């Protein structure tokens, strides 16, 4: 899982790339996106949990991380399958705007 991942859709207006890296035995994620064509850096956060394929495996294949933006919280769930990173972002608004919370799946290679 530890590497840089690029969105399989180069014209995306959402998440363009994901970097997973180990820092002092802690898995960290950094997300970059495109906001109406302009680059946007979400920053880097610690991965909250890593999941193996089964209870006896030591090899991580999925993870959960959270971003807190004040008006918006985003839960990131990712897993590696067939050499691709499948990423799901669950966005929850807290700003009283009455926008719908939404789910945003993407695939990275």
């Amino acid at each position: 899982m530890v590497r840089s991942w690029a969105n399989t859709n180069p014209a995306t207006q959402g998440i363009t790339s994901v970097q997973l890296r180990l820092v002092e035995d802690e898995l960290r994620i950094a997300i970059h996106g495109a906001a109406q064509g302009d680059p946007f850096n979400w920053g880097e956060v610690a991965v909250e949990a890593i999941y193996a394929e089964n209870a006896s495996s030591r090899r991580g294949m999925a993870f959960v991380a959270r971003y807190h933006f004040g008006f918006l919280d985003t839960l990131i769930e990712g897993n590696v399958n067939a050499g691709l990173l499948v990423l799901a972002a669950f966005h929850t608004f807290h700003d009283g705007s009455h926008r719908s919370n939404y789910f945003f799946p993407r695939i990275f290679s």
Side-chain angles (χ1 to χ4, degrees), residues 53-94:
E53 184 175 15
N54 57 56
S56 63
S57 176
R58 306 283 289 152
R59 184 174 153 252
M61 61 180 292
F63 63 89
V64 174
R66 291 181 200 275
Y67 280 87
H68 302 284
F69 298 109
F71 74 101
L72 169 73
D73 288 341
T74 300
L75 172 67
I76 299 292
E77 296 180 353
N79 71 83
V80 177
N81 189 347
L84 298 173
L85 174 64
V86 180
L87 195 77
F90 297 84
H91 303 284
T92 304
F93 291 97
H94 301 287

Side-chain angles (χ1 to χ4, degrees), residues 4-17:
S4 293
W5 300 86
N7 194 315
T8 57
N9 174 5
T12 186
Q13 291 299 301
I15 298 171
T16 57
S17 65

Side-chain angles (χ1 to χ4, degrees), residues 3 11 13 15 25-26 29 38 42 49 55-56 58-61 63 65 83 86 88 106 108-109:
R3 60 172 268 208
Q13 291 299 301
I15 298 171
D25 293 328
E26 177 182 69
I29 183 171
D38 293 326
W42 290 30
S56 63
R58 306 283 289 152
R59 184 174 153 252
M61 61 180 292
F63 63 89
V86 180
R106 289 295 177 258
F108 298 80
S109 60

